[in-house]
Amino acid sequence: MEPTLVLRPGREKSVRRLHPWIFSGGVASVDGQPAAGATVRVAASTGEVLGRASYAPASQLRARLWTFDADTEVDDAFVTSRVLAAAARRSNLAGFTDAARLVFSEADGVPGVIADRYGDTVVVQLGSAGADRWREVVADALFSLPGVRCVYERSDVDARQREDLPPRTGLLRGDEPAAETIITERGLRYSVGFTEGQKTGFYLDQRNARSVVAEVARDRTVLNAFSYTGAFSVIAAANGATAVTSLDSSGPALTGARRNADLNGVEAGEMIEGDAFAELRTLRDRAKQYDLIILDPPKLAQTEAQVARATRAYKDLNLLAAKLLAPGGILMTFSCSGGVSAELFQKVVAGAALDAKRNLRIVGRLDQPSDHPVPLSFPEAAYLKGLVLEAD
Ligand code: SAH
């Protein structure tokens, strides 16, 4: 008998709306002792089978739906086809970049699986028991894509702890990755160190923002705060910025920023290694002004419980940035905390502008690019929001 997870009465509603998550509180019983990562049937309290899910006994997020069709089996062919279909949907990006997120977890119907392509290498993150269970099938599917020579695992994300899974990194298929992988996006080159870098190595999700920086940088002085490896700095410099300052607390990230400048034959500019909260204060105290400020902090709220504290941090940063903005300047400000809604973020930034006594107008909004889709049935996939603000 196939193991079956039976929902509490009423809890089938979200499943019927094609939402993929089942929390422990919604589960009435689990028959058949499924192992971590095993596929279970999902049934309403009436016994009606609603679909199939991966089971994660150690997690509050107890099951993630693979399919909402009672008759579909989850097997090698099924998982392979989901991965290949997701990758095929990115083909439109190939015209201007060789780096893209091929698989975005639940948003692509492959719960827990993230796969990012950098040239001939694919970096995978398996963030759930269900994803872990299908490691080999996912690796084979990705390795079968045209031009892929290496599939490398970077499953060292915090999410695995919540599922009682150990971190795992290393080669899954093909040749050991080159010491340096260089990607090309819209004619600019970036070095991606995915074996030790952050995320899977490059902030693919900021692609739309990179285009905006290219449009607005000309003749401006630029402060790129939370620069990481200076993607925005390189674009600004390559598009006519007069001076660029990159600020990050990570020395290796700034080394990467110098490398990226070299790769594109642009000035690396000033580098400030330090805590942005302190360094922005120092710049303010020195009465510095910039024509374009980019604020792209890491996820400041990891959980719902941290939203209030994160909100204060966003306010602090944006207040400092508003004060550092030259007349007519542009502030591009971001939050990648899923728990902070676009509406709340805008309110926080409005409060910061008010306290800084600056009039700021929204001249653009930014969110995730097309390779980080948000299904209408799964709004949780939306996490990145940005405002492009223009000062008087
Ligand atoms: N804008 C970058 C991505 C930024 S990721 C890009 O487009 O590539 C966030 C960055 O913030 C990381 O590089 C991290 O090292 C840095 N960081 C985290 N906390 C910081 C702090 N308190 N002060 C300065 N930098 C910080």
Side-chain angles (χ1 to χ4, degrees):
M1 243 299 272
E2 196 179 351
T4 304
L5 181 155
V6 182
L7 297 168
R8 289 185 193 278
R11 294 303 185 97
E12 72 286 354
K13 286 198 192 101
S14 74
V15 178
R16 287 199 200 283
R17 286 197 303 264
L18 309 183
H19 192 281
W21 286 350
I22 295 168
F23 287 95
S24 57
V27 179
S29 65
V30 180
D31 311 329
Q33 301 190 323
T39 303
V40 296
R41 290 196 308 186
V42 174
S45 56
T46 56
E48 182 194 351
V49 177
L50 304 168
R52 287 191 167 75
S54 61
Y55 183 61
S59 175
Q60 289 292 102
L61 182 40
R62 193 58 49 93
R64 305 185 197 212
L65 271 292
W66 279 111
T67 170
F68 298 90
D69 175 12
D71 299 326
T72 299
E73 301 285 341
V74 178
D75 53 16
D76 290 11
F78 172 89
V79 174
T80 301
S81 74
R82 282 279 172 94
V83 169
L84 295 181
R89 285 194 286 272
R90 274 61 175 185
S91 56
N92 60 316
L93 293 171
F96 59 89
T97 181
D98 59 0
R101 175 151 294 185
L102 299 181
V103 181
F104 185 34
S105 204
E106 278 84 341
D108 279 307
V110 196
V113 176
I114 283 176
D116 290 341
R117 179 163 188 167
Y118 299 113
D120 58 11
T121 297
V122 178
V123 182
V124 225
Q125 267 181 6
L126 305 175
S128 68
D132 226 51
R133 154 76 179 80
W134 295 95
R135 171 180 285 103
E136 303 307 322
V137 174
V138 168
D140 282 337
L142 294 168
F143 194 52
S144 77
L145 293 169
V148 171
R149 287 180 18 156
C150 164
V151 179
Y152 193 87
E153 179 169 9
R154 270 298 301 270
S155 300
D156 47 355
V157 283
D158 296 344
R160 285 176 69 91
Q161 282 167 16
R162 291 194 285 276
E163 307 235 345
D164 230 3
L165 298 166
R168 227 185 115 140
T169 61
L171 187 68
L172 287 177
R173 294 289 181 278
D175 307 330
E176 275 294 335
E180 181 178 42
T181 297
I182 293 170
I183 58 153
T184 306
E185 182 185 275
R186 292 197 166 94
L188 293 174
R189 302 168 76 212
Y190 305 95
S191 173
V192 180
F194 52 79
T195 51
E196 67 292 319
Q198 296 168 13
K199 277 209 167 177
T200 62
F202 190 72
Y203 286 82
L204 296 169
D205 56 358
Q206 286 289 30
R207 189 182 305 110
N208 293 348
R210 286 191 282 279
S211 296
V212 173
V213 171
E215 285 169 19
V216 301
R218 183 153 306 279
D219 296 332
R220 291 184 191 267
T221 57
V222 180
L223 173 62
N224 181 11
F226 304 94
S227 65
Y228 187 46
T229 50
F232 291 133
S233 305
V234 165
I235 295 190
N239 285 278
T242 51
V244 178
T245 301
S246 304
L247 162 55
D248 202 282
S249 55
S250 157
L254 293 175
T255 303
R258 280 189 204 93
R259 173 75 184 131
N260 283 332
D262 288 350
L263 277 174
N264 294 286
V266 298
E267 293 282 325
E270 182 189 12
M271 305 267 167
I272 303 175
E273 183 178 335
D275 171 36
F277 292 86
E279 298 295 340
L280 293 176
R281 278 197 170 70
T282 305
L283 295 172
R284 177 202 61 191
D285 294 344
R286 288 163 52 201
K288 285 278 192 179
Q289 297 267 281
Y290 300 89
D291 303 315
L292 171 61
I293 299 178
I294 302 159
L295 267 190
D296 185 22
K299 198 171 174 183
L300 296 177
Q302 300 290 340
T303 61
E304 287 297 324
Q306 294 171 356
V307 167
R309 202 187 62 195
T311 298
R312 288 192 290 278
Y314 285 119
K315 166 110 185 250
D316 191 24
L317 288 173
N318 282 282
L319 174 58
L320 290 164
K323 289 188 171 164
L324 288 165
L325 208 53
I330 288 181
L331 170 61
M332 294 176 64
T333 181
F334 299 92
S335 163
C336 60
S337 303
V340 176
S341 67
E343 195 186 1
L344 173 59
F345 184 58
Q346 184 176 323
K347 262 191 203 154
V348 170
V349 176
L354 195 65
D355 287 5
K357 301 191 176 60
R358 297 300 301 268
N359 267 327
L360 299 181
R361 289 174 292 281
I362 298 174
V363 292
R365 289 178 190 277
L366 287 162
D367 56 16
Q368 296 158 223
S370 62
D371 53 344
H372 295 62
V374 182
L376 288 172
S377 57
F378 184 55
E380 289 86 346
Y383 63 97
L384 180 64
K385 54 250 139 205
L387 294 170
V388 187
L389 300 159
E390 180 189 68
D392 279 354

